[in-house]
Amino acid sequence: MANILALFAASDSVAYTVFIIKIVLACLMLLSAAFIIFVVMKQSSNSDGMEAMTGSRSEDDNEYNMSSSQRKERRLKIWTFVCAGVLALCAITFVILSAVIA
């Protein structure tokens, strides 16, 4: 333990800050990946998958004429996209920090 603390004391503050940022990013990536798995497992597969490929939606697909289960499914899909975006941004930032401070 003393060797690790001596290593941080000997290094400059920029490298230490980047190290802490990389740990925080790794934790965020782990949490968002776990949340994506959880959210995807909660979603029901009630379509044949073709609308995911084509991106087609019904014209009357809005919040006012949906049942509560359809609203729940929509929220789960939105959370999936948000968490995937957070995961991607954290991974890109992690790689950039690893390349800059190497």
Side-chain angles (χ1 to χ4, degrees):
M1 184 72 175
N3 291 338
I4 295 173
L5 293 175
L7 175 70
F8 289 129
S11 67
D12 58 336
S13 64
V14 173
Y16 181 70
T17 305
V18 169
F19 180 72
I20 296 298
I21 290 172
K22 284 170 60 175
I23 288 176
V24 169
L25 287 173
C27 291
L28 277 174
M29 287 190 293
L30 182 66
L31 287 174
S32 62
F35 194 72
I36 287 172
I37 292 171
F38 174 74
V39 169
V40 168
M41 294 296 286
K42 291 282 287 180
Q43 293 177 8
S44 65
S45 61
N46 53 1
S47 67
D48 58 356
M50 292 303 292
E51 61 193 27
M53 287 180 17
T54 60
S56 63
R57 287 182 18 188
S58 165
E59 288 297 322
D60 57 349
D61 194 17
N62 58 27
E63 289 289 327
Y64 296 114
N65 55 356
M66 295 176 118
S67 67
S68 64
S69 64
Q70 289 173 329
R71 283 191 293 270
K72 179 184 168 193
E73 288 295 320
R74 165 119 0 131
R75 279 191 227 117
L76 288 174
K77 286 181 184 179
I78 290 172
W79 277 109
T80 303
F81 290 133
V82 168
C83 288
V86 167
L87 180 64
L89 286 175
C90 288
I92 291 169
T93 307
F94 190 87
V95 168
I96 290 172
L97 285 176
S98 295
V100 169
I101 308 294

